[in-house]
Amino acid sequence: MRKLGFLGLFVLILCVGALPRAQDEVGPLEGAAAERMATKRLSGYLGMPLPVVEKALAFAQVRAGETVYDLGSGDGRIVIMAAQKFGARAVGIELDPRYARLSMNRIQALGLFEKVQIIEGDVLEQDLSAADVVTIYMTPLGTYKLRPRLEKFLRDGARVVTCVYEIPEWKPAAVTKVPGDEGKAYELKLYVISRPTEGVSFSKFGRQP
């Protein structure tokens, strides 16, 4: 497991930005973009604290050269850390154009544009087949709607790590709790994709029996 020293964490906080600051930066959403968000949004903005981000990526055993997808990538903190600290390629998918723009600006400023991509769009319309690891921090509605996409695209051995909320009907391979802000504990759940072969029950995919 990779550990982040105090100085490294301090520098990363300055680069990525804390959640309240990010929310202040994006400003209001109006017009067609606001209407699209109202109809397609799966979750409100949930920002995982940076120490929890590192633990989540380590929990998923992200390795250099792998591809990490963050679904609902917000201000880009997960994809940035995946590239900076784990040597991964990373793709963030974000519906809100304000957060997509904010995260792209941060990626450019950090010189990570060759390793990190932000897709401004609906996660339910994206091809996830290139993912080795998927990170999700969404409400139960979001994880429920994402499950069919994960089952459709993710290959054998791909890992999914969720923060707080579970994927309905899936059985996690491991669960851990990580301290976050103000003494709050965040529960991480790790799922490992194991696709069924002909004649094998779908429960082998990871669903609860």
Side-chain angles (χ1 to χ4, degrees):
M1 180 180 296
R2 297 167 174 81
K3 293 185 178 179
L4 196 63
F6 174 78
L7 180 59
L9 180 59
F10 177 70
V11 171
L12 190 61
I13 289 172
L14 290 180
C15 292
V16 177
L19 175 60
R21 181 182 172 189
Q23 288 175 314
D24 291 342
E25 285 185 63
V26 297
L29 192 64
E30 300 175 346
E35 293 178 9
R36 186 165 184 261
M37 285 291 295
T39 57
K40 290 184 174 290
R41 184 168 60 183
L42 299 182
S43 175
Y45 183 73
L46 301 173
M48 201 185 297
L50 287 173
V52 181
V53 171
E54 186 200 4
K55 294 292 186 182
L57 294 170
F59 191 45
Q61 299 181 356
V62 174
R63 296 182 289 271
E66 289 192 312
T67 300
V68 175
Y69 273 60
D70 183 29
L71 307 186
S73 54
D75 62 10
R77 62 184 64 190
I78 291 178
V79 291
I80 287 172
M81 186 177 284
Q84 280 190 322
K85 299 299 175 180
F86 291 80
R89 296 183 295 272
V91 179
I93 303 173
E94 175 55 48
L95 180 66
D96 191 324
R98 301 168 301 170
Y99 283 103
R101 185 166 52 251
L102 172 62
S103 55
M104 286 189 285
N105 289 342
R106 289 176 171 173
I107 289 160
Q108 289 283 342
L110 292 168
L112 295 173
F113 53 89
E114 292 185 350
K115 297 189 72 174
V116 183
Q117 175 188 5
I118 299 296
I119 297 173
E120 182 186 325
D122 186 347
V123 294
L124 299 181
E125 298 173 356
Q126 307 302 319
D127 184 337
L128 308 177
S129 58
D132 297 297
V133 174
V134 174
T135 59
I136 303 171
Y137 187 17
M138 288 190 182
T139 60
L141 174 63
T143 56
Y144 172 78
K145 288 192 172 184
L146 279 172
R147 192 189 74 198
R149 304 294 292 180
L150 302 173
E151 293 177 355
K152 177 180 178 179
F153 287 108
L154 296 187
R155 58 184 179 270
D156 237 23
R159 290 95 70 201
V160 180
V161 61
T162 65
C163 183
V164 180
Y165 304 107
E166 65 183 6
I167 298 176
E169 297 186 33
W170 280 23
K171 184 178 181 179
V175 179
T176 189
K177 287 188 177 181
V178 179
D181 299 333
E182 300 177 355
K184 178 181 177 181
Y186 289 76
E187 187 170 82
L188 303 175
K189 298 177 179 67
L190 176 66
Y191 304 89
V192 180
I193 304 304
S194 176
R195 289 197 168 275
T197 56
E198 187 175 353
V200 176
S201 168
F202 195 70
S203 65
K204 290 292 184 180
F205 187 81
R207 293 222 186 154
Q208 294 279 9

